[in-house]
Amino acid sequence: MRKQNGVGWLFASPYLLYAILFFAIPLVWSFYLSTTDWNLISPEYNFKGITNYIDVFRSPGVQAALLVTFKFMAVFVPLVIVMSMIVAAIVHGLPKFKGIFLIGFFLPYLASGVVSSFIVKGLLSYNSPLNTTLRGKFGMDIDWLGSPFAALCVVAVIIAWKFTGYYALILTSGFESINAEIYEAAAIDGANAWQRFFKITLPLLYPAIYTVIILSIGVTFGIFTEVYQLTGGGPDYATNTWQMEIFTQAFKNLQAGYASAIAIVASVVTFLSIFVIRKLLEMWGKRNGWV
Amino acid sequence: MKKKLNKAVSLVVAATVSVSVLAGCSKGDKKDSDKNGVTTIEFWAAPNPPQQAYWKEMAKEFEKENPKVNINVSAIKESPSSEASIQSAIAGKSAPTMSENINRGFAAQLAESKALVPLNEIEGWEDILTNRNMTETVEPWEFSDGNQYVLPIYSNPMLFGWRLDILKELGINEAPKTYSEMLEATKRLKAKYPDKFLWAKPDLADPTAWKRWFDFFMLYDAASEGNNFIEGNKLVADDKAGLQVLTFMDDLRKENAYLLKTVTDPFETGVGIFTDIGPWTLTYWEEKFPKMVYGETFTLAPPPVPDNMNTENVRTFADTKGLVIYASATDQQKHAAMKFISWVYANPEHDLKWLEQTNLPPARDDLAENEAFTTFFSENPALQPYANAVPFGIPSIDNPKYNELQTFIGQHAVNPIVKGKNTPKNGWNDMKKAIEGGL
C-alpha cells in the first residue's frame, strides 16, 4: 500500500508542482499585491491594507462588470445551450461521418478571437452589404456596436458561435450514451416526439446539460478578447467585463495592486455564482428525479 | 527504511525533473558579454514591417563595423498592446536592452517607475544631438526631473485630410480653414449628399485615451496656439480655446456632421470627407487605394481654427515616438546601445533611408533645409505638408497618468458632446473637475 502511495505521489508530483507554481503561488502573490499600490513596473510600492478593496466596491467600472457578466449570462447561456443542442441533435441523427461534422462545428472554438472579431467588425460596419441592405430595403439603421444592448448581444452571439461546436461535442456524447431501445419502447407505448424529448432525452441528457451550463457560465466571467477588439468595454461600460476592467486598470492605468484586488473580487464572485447555480441545477435535477 | 528511501528518491526525482523543465524556460542571470567579449543587445522595434526591416538593416551594417556588438532586432508583441507587452516584460524581468515606438506619456510612466535610463547620463548623448542636428527638437522632450529618457526618432505633426473631389462637387475648391468654413461645407454636403458625413469616425464616441490625440488635441492645440494642457501635476488648459473646440464639435453635431457607427474605410469610400491623416496612411493607400491621389482625390490641411484666428502656422498634435534604453540592461549593454544609436544618427543618409522606408519625418532641426530631405519631399509632394508642419507640432502630455486623464476628456467632454448628451460648457467643466481630481 505504501509503495503504491509512493508511486502515486511520483506521478502526481509534476501536476502538484505545476499547481503550486502556477496557481497557489500566484494566488497568494495576487492577494498580497491587492493590498499594495504596486504599479506593475516599479520596484518600490507601499502597503495599503484594504483600501484597494474599498475602491473596488465604489468603482463604476467594477459595478458595471458585475452587471454586465450577468447580462451576458442571460443572453449567452440560453443561446449557446439551444444552438449546441440543435447541432448535437442534428449530428446525432446523421447516419455517417458524425466525427467530420463535429470537427467542422468545433473549428470556431480554435479560431483566434482577434480574427473573428475583425471579421464581425467588417460585417457590422456601416457600409457593409448587410447594413446597406437593411437601410436600403427595410429602413433599419442599426448601431450594432454603439448601442448598449446591441453591442452586448453581438459579443454574446460571437462567443456563442465560438463555443457551440465544443458544447455540441459534449452533448453529442450524451445523446450517444442514450440507449436507442428506450426510444423504441416509448414509441411502442405511444409517446409522441415532445414526450420522448421531455421524458427520455432531457432526463438522460441531464449530466451533459449540467456540464455545459456550468462551463458556459464560467465563460461569461472570462470574456475579454472579443470585447477588447470590438467595443473596448463600451458604449458607456455596457460591455465592460471583469477581464476588461482588470486589463484597463493593470495595463492602461498602471494600477496592478488595485487590478489584483479586482481580480480577487472577481474570483470570489465567480466562485459564489457558480456554486449557487450548481446548487440550483442540482435541485432542479433532484426535483425531477433525474439524479 | 527502504520504502521510505524509495519514496524520498521518487519525490526528489519528480521535483528535479519538473524544476529542470521549468528552469529551461528561464533566461538566467544577465552577463555583460560572452567569453569572446561580444555584447549582445535586444532591440524591440515597432510592430510594423517597414520599421522592423529598417532596424534589422541598420543592426546588420553596424555589426559589420562593430564585431564586438551583437544586436537582436525583433518586433514588440502587440498582444494585447505593445505597451502591455513592455510592462509585462519589465515586471517579468525580461525587458529588452532598448526599444523604439515609445511616446512621451508612456515614457513618463516608465521613467516614474525607474524603468528607463536617463539617456543624458550616458556618454555620447550630446554627440548624438549634435551629429543628428536635433538639439532644438529634443528640448520639449525634457522631463520634469531635468532628464531626457527618450530620443525622439520621428516627429509627425498630424494633419486633416479632406476629400477634395467631393469638396469641389460642393463648389468648394480648397480645404476649409476656419470653423465657419467647415460648418458651411457641412451644410452644403448634407444638402447634396444626405447619406454622407463630414466626419465618419466612431472613435469620437469612444473614451479610449489615445483616441483624443487625433481629434480633441489636434483641435485644442490649434485653437490654443499650442498652449499646454497639463504641466507637471497641474491642469493649465486654455479655457477659452477648450470651450471653442467643444462648442464647434457641438455645432457640427447639430448639422448631423458625424457618423459614429463602425465603418470600414470611411474616407476612402467617401462616406466621410474629413479625417485625421498621418504619413503612414499614404503608404497604406499606395497599396490598397491607389485612386487616392494627392491634389486630386484628397488634400491635406492643418486643423481648422476659430474664425477670428490666423490660419497660418497653425499648431497641431504631433505623433512623436522615440528610443529608450531600459534600466535593467547591464552597463556594457547600455554603452553598446548608445554606440549603436550614435552610429545610426551620425549619418543623415540613415535618416533619409528611414524616411524612404516609413514616410515618417525624422526628428531633426534641419528637416526642411537639409538637401538630402528636401529632394525627397519634392519627389513626394503629399509628404511636404508634414515637413512644413514639423515646427508647429505639439507632443503628447508627459504625465504618468496620461491614460486615465485622457480618458476623462473622452468620458466627460468629447463623447457626450458628439452624442448630444451634454453642453460644451458643462462638458468642459466636468472634464476639468475629473482631471483635477485625477491629478
Side-chain angles (χ1 to χ4, degrees):
Chain A
M1 190 65 184
R2 282 192 168 193
K3 192 178 178 183
Q4 279 180 336
N5 277 346
V7 175
W9 276 106
L10 176 67
F11 283 109
S13 58
Y15 176 75
L16 284 175
L17 198 67
Y18 176 85
I20 290 166
L21 280 173
F22 295 106
F23 292 105
I25 294 175
L27 183 68
V28 174
W29 179 239
S30 181
F31 184 73
Y32 167 66
L33 285 181
S34 72
T35 61
T36 70
D37 63 357
W38 191 44
N39 75 352
L40 192 73
I41 44 182
S42 175
E44 294 159 13
Y45 48 89
N46 305 304
F47 181 73
K48 284 184 79 180
I50 58 162
T51 319
N52 283 335
Y53 287 92
I54 295 168
D55 293 342
V56 165
F57 290 106
R58 285 179 181 162
S59 156
V62 172
Q63 286 163 7
L66 181 68
L67 274 176
V68 164
T69 305
F70 290 107
K71 284 181 188 171
F72 264 126
M73 216 180 275
V75 180
F76 166 72
V77 176
L79 188 68
V80 80
I81 301 286
V82 169
M83 281 165 64
S84 52
M85 189 76 97
I86 292 169
V87 170
I90 292 170
V91 171
H92 174 61
L94 290 172
K96 280 182 184 176
F97 307 121
K98 290 182 186 181
I100 293 171
F101 281 97
L102 271 179
I103 289 169
F105 283 110
F106 184 72
L107 283 178
Y109 180 69
L110 304 175
S112 150
V114 178
V115 175
S116 49
S117 301
F118 269 116
I119 293 169
V120 169
K121 208 168 190 174
L123 286 173
L124 299 180
S125 161
Y126 175 81
N127 45 359
S128 70
L130 169 73
N131 280 321
T132 310
T133 312
L134 284 176
R135 272 198 313 277
K137 300 217 167 174
F138 304 99
M140 292 167 74
D141 191 5
I142 305 169
D143 190 1
W144 296 102
L145 300 173
S147 65
F149 181 66
L152 189 113
C153 289
V154 167
V155 176
V157 168
I158 302 172
I159 300 169
W161 166 77
K162 194 173 173 138
F163 280 88
T164 292
Y166 175 33
Y167 296 155
L169 206 68
I170 298 170
L171 292 172
T172 306
S173 66
F175 273 117
E176 296 291 322
S177 68
I178 302 173
N179 195 330
E181 287 171 5
I182 303 173
Y183 287 108
E184 286 165 15
I188 292 165
D189 289 343
N192 62 29
W194 284 112
Q195 284 171 326
R196 288 202 295 275
F197 177 77
F198 283 106
K199 299 291 179 187
I200 300 170
T201 311
L202 198 59
L204 293 175
L205 209 57
Y206 173 78
I209 293 172
Y210 176 90
T211 307
V212 168
I213 291 176
I214 296 297
L215 286 175
S216 58
I217 285 165
V219 165
T220 58
F221 288 93
I223 297 170
F224 175 71
T225 310
E226 291 77 7
V227 163
Y228 178 75
Q229 294 293 337
L230 287 172
T231 63
D236 301 328
Y237 289 128
T239 55
N240 196 49
T241 59
W242 285 106
Q243 305 299 320
M244 190 68 215
E245 185 62 19
I246 293 166
F247 173 80
T248 304
Q249 297 304 339
F251 291 102
K252 288 188 172 175
N253 295 346
L254 285 191
Q255 298 187 63
Y258 175 56
S260 292
I262 301 175
I264 297 284
V265 172
S267 312
V268 173
V269 171
T270 308
F271 175 79
L272 285 176
S273 304
I274 292 178
F275 179 79
V276 169
I277 291 165
R278 250 185 58 202
K279 287 288 163 202
L280 288 173
L281 281 173
E282 282 167 11
M283 279 164 62
W284 179 51
K286 274 180 190 163
R287 186 178 292 170
N288 289 293
W290 299 338
V291 282
Chain B
M1 182 67 186
K2 197 181 171 187
K3 279 178 186 172
K4 272 188 181 175
L5 190 67
N6 276 345
K7 190 176 173 182
V9 169
S10 305
L11 282 171
V12 169
V13 169
T16 310
V17 169
S18 306
V19 170
S20 305
V21 169
L22 291 165
C25 304
S26 161
K27 288 195 166 185
D29 292 336
K30 285 184 178 176
K31 286 178 184 170
D32 274 1
S33 55
D34 69 6
K35 59 183 176 186
N36 299 317
V38 175
T39 304
T40 296
I41 58 178
E42 297 293 331
F43 182 108
W44 284 5
N48 89 44
Q51 276 167 260
Q52 218 184 317
Y54 172 82
W55 286 112
K56 278 192 174 167
E57 199 181 324
M58 287 294 114
K60 216 172 171 183
E61 281 183 34
F62 175 77
E63 283 168 355
K64 274 187 212 160
E65 293 176 28
N66 299 272
K68 293 284 181 192
V69 179
N70 175 36
I71 304 169
N72 293 331
V73 178
S74 57
I76 304 171
K77 285 177 190 68
E78 267 196 299
S79 180
S81 70
S82 54
E83 284 85 0
S85 296
I86 291 170
Q87 289 155 3
S88 307
I90 294 169
K93 303 200 185 307
S94 59
T97 312
M98 62 197 296
S99 74
E100 62 154 336
N101 208 35
I102 307 295
N103 69 54
R104 231 170 140 228
F106 185 47
Q109 288 181 332
L110 296 174
E112 194 192 49
S113 301
K114 298 181 174 57
L116 298 181
V117 175
L119 297 175
N120 49 299
E121 287 180 6
I122 307 180
E123 197 188 327
W125 169 250
E126 291 298 331
D127 294 341
I128 294 173
L129 304 188
T130 315
N131 293 340
R132 201 193 182 199
N133 207 338
M134 61 183 304
T135 321
E136 284 178 35
T137 308
V138 86
E139 259 176 35
W141 284 76
E142 189 177 293
F143 284 71
S144 47
D145 65 359
N147 282 320
Q148 292 282 7
Y149 292 94
V150 191
L151 178 85
I153 295 180
Y154 62 88
S155 177
N156 172 36
M158 289 298 296
L159 297 175
F160 280 112
W162 285 91
R163 279 296 297 257
L164 192 59
D165 51 351
I166 299 174
L167 278 181
K168 282 182 178 169
E169 287 175 30
L170 306 175
I172 301 168
N173 291 320
E174 58 177 32
K177 291 175 180 168
T178 63
Y179 290 175
S180 291
E181 287 175 16
M182 261 186 89
L183 288 164
E184 176 59 26
T186 310
K187 281 177 186 160
R188 289 196 201 183
L189 177 76
K190 298 307 282 190
K192 191 172 171 72
Y193 296 114
D195 291 342
K196 289 190 187 293
F197 297 86
L198 178 92
W199 207 350
K201 194 175 168 74
D203 288 1
L204 289 165
D206 183 337
T208 305
W210 62 264
K211 297 190 176 184
R212 297 295 77 80
W213 291 331
F214 306 109
D215 45 50
F216 175 79
F217 276 110
M218 287 180 74
L219 294 170
Y220 171 79
D221 288 334
S224 68
E225 294 183 302
N227 184 81
N228 262 353
F229 192 74
I230 289 171
E231 270 174 16
N233 282 328
K234 205 175 169 204
L235 179 72
V236 293
D238 179 337
D239 286 317
K240 187 185 166 199
L243 258 174
Q244 279 176 318
V245 168
L246 296 185
T247 307
F248 170 57
M249 294 184 103
D250 194 41
D251 291 342
L252 286 175
R253 178 193 61 81
K254 288 174 188 160
E255 296 297 335
N256 193 19
Y258 303 123
L259 174 66
L260 304 174
K261 298 184 176 108
T262 310
V263 52
T264 310
D265 302 320
F267 189 72
E268 295 85 343
T269 53
V271 173
I273 65 164
F274 171 80
T275 193
D276 54 287
I277 292 182
W280 54 82
T281 311
L282 305 177
T283 319
Y284 169 67
W285 282 348
E286 273 173 26
E287 288 175 20
K288 273 202 80 179
F289 295 97
K291 286 184 180 169
M292 298 297 289
V293 179
Y294 179 64
E296 290 176 26
T297 330
F298 76 98
T299 191
L300 295 164
V305 291
D307 292 352
N308 52 355
M309 277 183 71
N310 188 349
T311 56
E312 298 295 315
N313 302 338
V314 174
R315 302 279 177 160
T316 185
F317 166 75
D319 180 46
T320 49
K321 285 182 179 170
L323 275 167
V324 296
I325 298 178
Y326 292 92
S328 54
T330 64
D331 286 345
Q332 215 152 340
Q333 285 172 325
K334 287 171 193 165
H335 285 106
M338 203 53 140
K339 199 175 172 185
F340 174 54
I341 304 172
S342 301
W343 177 86
V344 171
Y345 292 122
N347 187 350
E349 287 300 314
H350 292 160
D351 265 334
L352 180 63
K353 189 173 278 182
W354 165 271
L355 186 56
E356 286 167 346
Q357 279 185 233
T358 65
N359 277 352
L360 299 168
R364 307 176 56 111
D365 301 343
D366 64 349
L367 190 65
E369 305 97 52
N370 191 315
E371 240 176 64
F373 306 113
T374 51
T375 311
F376 173 84
F377 286 119
S378 63
E379 287 167 3
N380 296 276
L383 291 171
Q384 185 68 55
Y386 291 101
N388 296 345
V390 166
F392 311 110
I394 310 289
S396 57
I397 57 174
D398 66 351
N399 193 290
K401 290 183 178 175
Y402 82 100
N403 195 75
E404 205 178 335
L405 304 175
Q406 289 188 197
T407 304
F408 292 144
I409 304 174
Q411 276 176 340
H412 298 285
V414 176
N415 307 159
I417 282 163
V418 296
K419 290 186 199 165
K421 289 185 176 172
N422 205 354
T423 62
K425 197 177 174 188
N426 287 345
W428 182 253
N429 288 336
D430 292 348
M431 178 206 78
K432 279 179 69 176
K433 206 172 152 189
I435 291 178
E436 277 160 353
L439 285 166

